Amino acid sequence: MIGFADEALIEVRSGNGGNGCVAFRREKYIPHGGPNGGDGGKGGDVIFTVKRNLRTLANIRHKHCFKARNGGDGQGWNRYGADGEDCVIPVPPGTTIRDAETEEIIYDFSTAKGDESFTFLKGGNGGWGNVHFKSSTNQAPKQANPGQKGETRFLKLELSIMADAGLVGFPNAGKSSLLTYFTNARPKIAPYPFTTIIPNLGVLRVDDESDIIIADIPGIIEGASEGLGLGDTFLKHITRTACLIFMIDCSDENYLTAYDTLCNELRNYSDNLMEKPRIVLCNKIDVDDAFERAVEVQEKIKATEPDTVVIPVSVHTGRGMKDAQQQIMELVSRQEKRDISAGTSAENDAASENQFGSSFMKDRAYIDDDDDNVQYPGSEQ
């Protein structure tokens, strides 16, 4: 699992603001030049941004501390200090940012569209120079403010692969072979269990304008939800998929109980997984007696789940694969339409709330009249 990083613990620090400057004009023939100390620059922010070309957290896993630059100090002649450079941390889609101590979710990039950015920590404001403290009773102020300190936080980043369909099955059920058959992915395939030890993604081409992303996670075994095998490590990667594709090995002696066992493991890990739409592919029907077993599995599932599509297939010979591809495309298409419909309803609700609630809250915004708090550039806004 060296080549795949789906978790990272990091420390992030925003920049300190620059100090204000105490300075006075010193010019010939101008005996009372007055103060001209400039303000300090603002410290850099810590910003997370989604990059579509990233697939794992390997780019930040081994760099434990990310720091934004400090703002520059103010100088004489009303010269402001330079603002500190922001620290921009690129993450792949599907990244969740949590507090390392409380596990509280700070931000979730699972619904990011395009190169979305999130400013997590603001840099400290720069301190005011002595030019701000000039008054009729204080012509030569020798006072300036120090810059505000930046913030430090410890975070836990978690990655859940974003895919349209997730492959679920026991080791050696044929998931990697299916991914190879439908997509341009080339996962490791061998006649022994756990050949897949990291999640793999493949793209199924639907037409010139749309694709379906299929995720293959390591094989699940009984007890995976409790940490046995590799399933517990990677089960989270199918929590973000739109639908599930179950693979049943009909050449295995446990073919009749395989589906129930897989469902129990998913249910034990998260109840939401079993609410996802799914289809079942009974694989390896090219083996002796496997087709008859596939029919048994089909009848058993139909008795309890009449809406679940069950298709006997052979990835090796291609039998039934055309029908399976069509059913996968239809399943993903139906789920996308539901998501769009749900998103439209949510947007309408949000618009209604903004229409009736925003002006109400805006008119009642809290205003602090304490002038002592207005000490730094920008803090009065």
Side-chain angles (χ1 to χ4, degrees):
M1 288 177 279
I2 296 176
F4 187 82
D6 60 354
E7 289 187 358
L9 291 173
I10 63 173
E11 176 185 355
V12 293
R13 301 179 186 174
S14 59
N16 299 329
N19 298 319
C21 175
V22 176
F24 298 91
R25 291 176 61 187
R26 304 293 184 188
E27 296 183 63
K28 192 175 182 180
Y29 306 122
I30 304 180
H32 304 291
N36 67 350
D39 301 337
K42 178 182 174 297
D45 301 334
V46 175
I47 302 173
F48 290 90
T49 183
V50 165
K51 293 297 181 184
R52 296 283 163 181
N53 60 334
L54 293 179
R55 291 292 178 265
T56 72
L57 297 172
N59 62 312
I60 62 176
R61 189 176 197 176
H62 302 294
K63 184 179 179 182
H64 301 292
C65 186
F66 293 83
K67 303 178 184 178
R69 292 192 177 275
N70 297 331
D73 293 337
Q75 301 180 36
W77 295 99
N78 291 323
R79 287 177 292 183
Y80 282 33
D83 289 343
E85 183 179 349
D86 296 334
C87 176
V88 180
I89 306 174
V91 295
T95 300
T96 301
I97 303 174
R98 295 177 179 269
D99 185 278
E101 298 179 357
T102 64
E103 294 288 330
E104 177 189 0
I105 295 179
I106 297 172
Y107 200 83
D108 192 346
F109 283 106
S110 63
T111 58
K113 297 180 180 179
D115 294 337
E116 180 181 338
S117 296
F118 164 58
T119 302
F120 174 52
L121 293 182
K122 289 282 191 179
N125 286 323
W128 277 0
N130 67 335
V131 69
H132 289 278
F133 298 94
K134 178 182 176 181
S135 67
S136 59
T137 59
N138 188 5
Q139 297 286 330
K142 296 181 179 180
Q143 176 186 358
N145 284 330
Q148 287 182 327
K149 296 295 184 182
E151 299 180 71
T152 300
R153 292 284 295 273
F154 292 89
L155 303 176
K156 180 180 181 181
L157 305 186
E158 295 180 344
L159 170 65
S160 295
I161 288 176
M162 303 294 292
D164 297 306
L167 292 171
V168 181
F170 287 120
N172 227 30
K175 302 187 303 299
S176 297
S177 298
L178 180 79
L179 196 68
T180 301
Y181 186 94
F182 281 150
T183 75
N184 56 354
R186 293 297 176 263
K188 183 179 180 180
I189 299 174
Y192 54 83
F194 293 115
T195 52
T196 300
I197 59 174
I198 64 173
N200 294 300
L201 288 179
V203 179
L204 171 60
R205 194 71 171 171
V206 177
D207 51 42
D208 293 337
E209 297 182 355
S210 58
D211 300 319
I212 292 176
I213 300 177
I214 301 177
D216 171 25
I217 69 167
I220 298 174
I221 64 173
E222 189 171 1
S225 59
E226 301 173 359
L228 296 182
L230 298 174
D232 180 61
T233 306
F234 297 111
L235 271 172
K236 62 185 177 185
H237 291 295
I238 60 174
T239 59
R240 297 277 179 83
T241 58
C243 54
L244 302 177
I245 304 171
F246 284 78
M247 293 286 292
I248 307 296
D249 181 1
C250 289
S251 67
D252 186 79
E253 59 182 9
N254 297 320
Y255 69 97
L256 208 53
T257 60
Y259 180 71
D260 292 336
T261 303
L262 291 171
C263 289
N264 287 334
E265 293 304 321
L266 297 187
R267 190 178 294 109
N268 291 337
Y269 183 79
S270 173
D271 291 334
N272 295 332
L273 286 177
M274 291 310 298
E275 297 177 2
K276 294 181 180 293
R278 54 190 177 271
I279 65 172
V280 180
L281 303 182
C282 298
N283 191 25
K284 302 186 181 181
I285 60 173
D286 55 294
V287 180
D288 292 342
D289 299 327
F291 181 78
E292 289 74 13
R293 293 180 172 184
V295 174
E296 288 185 59
V297 174
Q298 191 176 39
E299 292 175 351
K300 179 182 177 182
I301 295 176
K302 285 292 184 181
T304 56
E305 302 177 14
D307 295 331
T308 300
V309 177
V310 183
I311 307 172
V313 299
S314 171
V315 179
H316 179 65
T317 64
R319 183 179 175 185
M321 294 300 286
K322 187 174 181 180
D323 186 24
Q325 178 177 341
Q326 184 64 32
Q327 290 295 333
I328 292 173
M329 291 189 298
E330 291 180 2
L331 183 67
V332 173
S333 177
R334 286 197 301 269
Q335 188 60 24
E336 286 179 348
K337 291 178 181 178
R338 290 174 188 161
D339 292 342
I340 292 174
S341 176
T344 302
S345 299
E347 290 176 0
N348 291 337
D349 292 342
S352 177
E353 181 180 350
N354 290 336
Q355 180 181 358
F356 295 103
S358 60
S359 60
F360 176 85
M361 296 304 296
K362 185 176 181 180
D363 292 340
R364 287 152 180 79
Y366 174 75
I367 299 175
D368 190 352
D369 292 328
D370 187 357
D371 292 337
D372 293 338
N373 291 331
V374 185
Q375 300 178 13
Y376 301 91
S379 62
E380 70 275 12
Q381 296 178 357

